[in-house]
Amino acid sequence: MIKRLFILIILPFIQCSTPEETEVLVIGGSASGIAAAISSARLQVSTILIEQGPWLGGMLTAAGVSATDGNYKLPSGFWGEFRDSLVAHYGSEEKLQTGWVSKTLFEPSVGNEIFQQLAKKEKSLSLYFHTNLLSLAPTQNGWTAKVRTEHGEKQIKAKIVIDATELGDVVKLAGIEYSVGMDPQDKYHESIAPVKANEVIQDMTYVLILEDYGKPVIIDPPAGYDASVFYCSSQSLLCTGAKTMKRTLWPPDKLITYGALPNNKFMINWPINGNDYYSNTVDLTETERQAQYEKAKIKSLQFLYYLQTELGFSNLSLAENEFPTADHMPLIPYHRESRRIKGLVTLTVNDIAKPFEQKDPLYRTGIAVGDYPIDHHHAAHPDADQLPELHFFPVPSYTVPLGVLLPQKVKNFIVAEKSISVSNIVNGTTRLQPVVLQIGQAAGSLAALAVQSNTTPEHISVRTLQRLLLEQGGYLLPYLDVPKTHPHFSAYQRIGSTGILKGVGMNVGWENQTWFYPDSLLQKPELEVGLKPYISSNHLPIPKSLTNDNMLRWIKELVQNEHPSRPLPSWSQDEKALIEHLSLKDFEGPRSMTRGSFAVLFDALFDPFESNRVDITGQVIK
């Protein structure tokens, strides 16, 4: 008995004094955190993920935001895998389309279950739940983290750390420079930014997951309840219009069915005078944060009481079997904004709006794609009418560049989730769940590649990571007309990432789009501009007539001129063999060449993607 007691007493001290070693440490089981951890482990790199709570998935699950925004036609990488898992669980895509705000809606508990199952399959991944980070210190070859687990304190030594927390808390511990709030207009020359900087961040929300009980289940009136606060949350004779913020007011039933979930549940994440709550908790202590979170909870419960008593939805109340919490509320609030690091590059609204006109062609370094509008929530701020109008600012679909994941000066550290190096305005679209899942996948893959190469993440070639992401079903560029099931998807992605042929971006209503137009005819002026970084000044002139036979002959001669030591493959010598090898349809000698045929031929023979490296800013390395 005494011996057993002695062991129990000294066990925490043994755990603390004997560091556990891992190659990659992911801090935070957020949407990007679980994507990063699984992606790293799949490359047979030892990975530990620590999470404060019991769930995986962050805003998608623990915060209850189980209606995804955007990327319905861009099922890139881990996001596509997660969506496929939801389809498998519920039986069809149609069964995910239960509400009108999204085409992918699900129960938060189901999302968590999927992430947990995916994680359990990875032998190289260890999960630590109910674990808090206490300190983080750099070492000669990585980091030492001190954590508090359910069984006491311990140390974890890691080569690379990934910050996947909701607010970028590890960024601060690591001494990385960051920004909070709105950037001034002259910082990134964004015309819609405010003239002066401020510390205003987006509203947060304690999401409500409701269930229809088939009978009145009205909660007790929450403290401080005032029905007038919510009069303008939907169409109502009581709404004077003073609080509408130029937003459309929907009928009450639309408010409810907005986030209708499978199995007769409803997600209430209502930005129009609903349950959004303003508080900048980024740099508060944990105690101060929790005090604000309680206020946000009360705001949401007040809104629930309003829905029940004023709008007639008395049969709806908090789902009792959704979250493992005593009050049936989500485990965490939904944070739309966090710290934003000063990275090796910063993605601005100009990079998204006009990617081919910027000094640095960041589009060449893409590791994730998004197509959701720039959406900022500021209506709950007390001075909302004085803030810039950033709601659904129109931009094309876009690519997220690799350099936003890497901080300046600090080594062996990768940033994911919402703390990547973007401007405040751009955060309004990169924060969305499908994009964040892809960011996590890129972060985990980058960390694993660095470990395998015995180097630091910034020394991994852009093209090396991009090649891996393509193999994993990821998109580098958001081509709407070339799904990843297309036989030439990878070739189009690679050629697009060189800039030799450029996509066409546009905004159509709520949709942000980019088209590759593979069936359109090849144009000589575009080709001359696109090829400049990749061929010498004395290159062979492009033929006047861009027919298939002329261009095939020219590409072969160009390869011999630019890369004389590279042998041409045998299948390129015979047109029939070439057509069969590259799966080119309707490839006849005298016919005018299409963009798609050129992309496939040039990718296969000249191989500019692999032959010409690019730096972190997208400049071609000669």
Side-chain angles (χ1 to χ4, degrees):
M1 180 67 183
I2 295 175
K3 183 178 180 181
R4 184 183 301 173
L5 181 61
F6 176 73
I7 291 173
L8 290 174
I9 291 173
I10 68 167
L11 183 59
F13 296 98
I14 294 175
Q15 290 177 327
C16 187
S17 60
T18 307
E20 181 173 358
E21 294 191 8
T22 188
E23 291 167 316
V24 175
L25 172 62
V26 181
I27 304 175
S30 60
S32 67
I34 185 57
I38 288 175
S39 298
S40 172
R42 283 177 175 173
L43 293 171
Q44 284 75 57
V45 167
S46 62
T47 306
I48 290 176
L49 182 148
I50 66 171
E51 161 57 28
Q52 289 182 320
W55 274 27
L56 297 172
M59 58 179 165
L60 274 168
T61 59
V65 191
S66 55
T68 60
D69 294 306
N71 280 57
Y72 310 130
K73 300 175 184 177
L74 300 173
S76 176
F78 197 81
W79 149 240
E81 181 180 350
F82 176 65
R83 193 170 187 277
D84 289 345
S85 298
L86 289 171
V87 171
H89 176 88
Y90 286 107
S92 69
E93 285 191 27
E94 290 72 24
K95 291 183 179 179
L96 302 181
Q97 299 173 14
T98 45
W100 58 268
V101 72
S102 172
K103 293 183 180 179
T104 306
L105 298 105
F106 57 95
E107 296 155 285
S109 56
V110 170
N112 168 62
E113 180 183 337
I114 287 172
F115 288 132
Q116 299 272 4
Q117 290 174 349
L118 289 173
K120 288 177 182 177
K121 294 178 181 179
E122 302 307 321
K123 295 180 180 179
S124 298
L125 175 59
S126 299
L127 302 175
Y128 285 86
F129 293 107
H130 304 290
T131 299
N132 294 292
L133 177 67
L134 301 178
S135 64
L136 184 70
T139 64
Q140 186 175 357
N141 298 310
W143 300 86
T144 296
K146 185 177 180 182
V147 302
R148 180 183 294 115
T149 72
E150 294 178 285
H151 307 292
E153 294 183 3
K154 68 182 302 176
Q155 288 185 336
I156 301 174
K157 294 182 69 175
K159 293 181 179 179
I160 296 174
V161 165
I162 298 175
D163 182 350
T165 58
E166 295 292 334
L167 295 175
D169 290 334
V170 193
V171 162
K172 185 174 183 178
L173 277 178
I176 295 168
E177 186 176 349
Y178 64 87
S179 300
V180 176
M182 295 186 181
D183 303 306
Q185 199 172 96
D186 61 359
K187 185 174 184 179
Y188 299 119
H189 308 289
E190 297 173 314
S191 61
I192 59 173
V195 175
K196 294 183 178 180
N198 61 54
E199 293 188 353
V200 176
I201 68 169
Q202 291 195 62
D203 303 335
M204 66 177 172
T205 308
Y206 248 102
V207 173
L208 300 167
I209 302 296
L210 307 182
E211 185 173 352
D212 190 340
Y213 287 89
K215 62 181 181 180
V217 278
I218 299 173
I219 64 173
D220 295 332
Y225 174 72
D226 178 359
S228 67
V229 172
F230 307 110
Y231 284 162
C232 293
S233 60
S234 62
Q235 292 175 1
S236 170
L237 295 175
L238 297 173
C239 177
T240 62
K243 296 181 180 180
T244 61
M245 298 289 294
K246 300 179 182 179
R247 302 284 294 275
T248 300
L249 293 187
W250 300 88
D253 64 317
K254 284 283 190 180
L255 186 163
I256 298 298
T257 58
Y258 159 92
L261 307 179
N263 294 321
N264 209 26
K265 294 175 184 175
F266 303 87
M267 180 199 75
I268 305 298
N269 176 29
W270 194 248
I272 309 170
N273 299 299
N275 54 332
D276 281 3
Y277 178 83
Y278 181 75
S279 178
N280 185 343
T281 62
V282 173
D283 280 320
L284 297 184
T285 65
E286 187 59 29
T287 300
E288 292 169 332
R289 284 179 180 175
Q290 291 301 325
Q292 293 301 313
Y293 296 165
E294 286 303 313
K295 293 179 181 179
K297 275 188 184 182
I298 291 172
K299 174 78 177 291
S300 289
L301 291 173
Q302 291 171 344
F303 190 45
L304 171 57
Y305 188 72
Y306 176 81
L307 298 178
Q308 293 175 328
T309 60
E310 297 289 337
L311 297 189
F313 298 103
S314 60
N315 289 0
L316 300 182
S317 194
L318 294 169
E320 295 183 355
N321 297 318
E322 195 58 38
F323 300 107
T325 54
D327 58 6
H328 311 308
M329 295 289 280
L331 291 90
I332 60 173
Y334 174 29
H335 294 287
R336 295 180 175 88
E337 192 168 336
S338 65
R339 298 175 174 90
R340 303 187 311 281
I341 66 162
K342 186 174 182 180
L344 297 184
V345 303
T346 300
L347 184 66
T348 73
V349 74
N350 300 318
D351 296 309
I352 291 179
K354 298 180 179 180
F356 309 120
E357 299 178 22
Q358 306 307 311
K359 176 184 175 183
D360 291 327
L362 298 181
Y363 70 89
R364 289 181 180 150
T365 69
I367 47 85
V369 296
D371 65 0
Y372 201 71
I374 292 175
D375 180 20
H376 282 246
H377 286 229
H378 292 295
H381 191 278
D383 298 318
D385 57 342
Q386 304 298 316
L387 299 176
E389 175 54 56
L390 301 177
H391 184 69
F392 291 140
F393 181 77
V395 292
S397 52
Y398 60 91
T399 183
V400 177
L402 170 59
V404 302
L405 278 63
L406 297 170
Q408 296 182 9
K409 301 176 184 178
V410 177
K411 306 294 183 183
N412 296 309
F413 198 101
I414 302 172
V415 178
E417 199 60 18
K418 297 175 282 285
S419 293
I420 59 174
S421 182
V422 297
S423 70
N424 168 262
I425 292 175
V426 169
N427 169 72
T429 181
T430 55
R431 68 178 176 81
L432 278 310
Q433 310 96 321
V435 179
V436 167
L437 284 171
Q438 296 171 76
I439 289 169
Q441 179 180 7
S445 299
L446 178 62
L449 288 172
V451 168
Q452 292 170 341
S453 302
N454 194 29
T455 188
T456 54
E458 69 274 11
H459 288 120
I460 294 298
S461 161
V462 173
R463 295 301 190 218
T464 298
L465 176 60
Q466 289 180 318
R467 186 191 320 122
L468 177 60
L469 294 175
L470 279 176
E471 292 170 358
Q472 296 171 348
Y475 284 59
L476 309 181
L477 292 163
Y479 296 146
L480 186 62
D481 52 345
V482 186
K484 63 182 180 182
T485 53
H486 192 287
H488 301 311
F489 171 80
S490 294
Y492 295 165
Q493 290 282 318
R494 287 191 290 265
I495 290 298
S497 294
T498 65
I500 292 171
L501 294 182
K502 299 175 176 65
V504 178
M506 62 190 72
N507 174 258
V508 182
W510 276 38
E511 281 197 70
N512 299 327
Q513 304 176 354
T514 301
W515 298 73
F516 186 67
Y517 296 120
D519 297 327
S520 297
L521 295 182
L522 188 65
Q523 300 296 321
K524 189 173 181 179
E526 178 188 17
L527 195 56
E528 289 176 331
V529 173
L531 283 170
K532 275 186 178 180
Y534 300 96
I535 56 181
S536 58
S537 57
N538 63 339
H539 71 87
L540 299 168
I542 299 172
K544 292 181 179 180
S545 178
L546 306 187
T547 58
N548 289 326
D549 51 355
N550 285 345
M551 291 305 295
L552 175 57
R553 188 181 309 112
W554 176 78
I555 292 172
K556 289 181 180 180
E557 292 175 351
L558 188 67
V559 172
Q560 294 174 338
N561 188 64
E562 299 288 328
H563 305 291
S565 62
R566 182 192 300 170
L568 287 167
S570 58
W571 50 259
S572 69
Q573 306 306 320
D574 177 73
E575 185 174 298
K576 185 177 179 180
L578 180 145
I579 292 172
E580 184 177 344
H581 184 83
L582 297 179
S583 301
L584 285 174
K585 297 180 180 179
D586 302 323
F587 188 89
E588 298 175 5
R591 180 177 295 182
S592 294
M593 179 166 276
T594 64
R595 287 165 55 89
S597 291
F598 175 81
V600 173
L601 273 175
F602 206 72
D603 175 68
L605 296 177
F606 195 86
D607 194 17
F609 183 87
E610 296 288 355
S611 300
N612 301 88
R613 293 185 302 145
V614 294
D615 65 20
I616 202 69
T617 68
Q619 302 293 344
V620 177
I621 301 172
K622 296 292 185 180

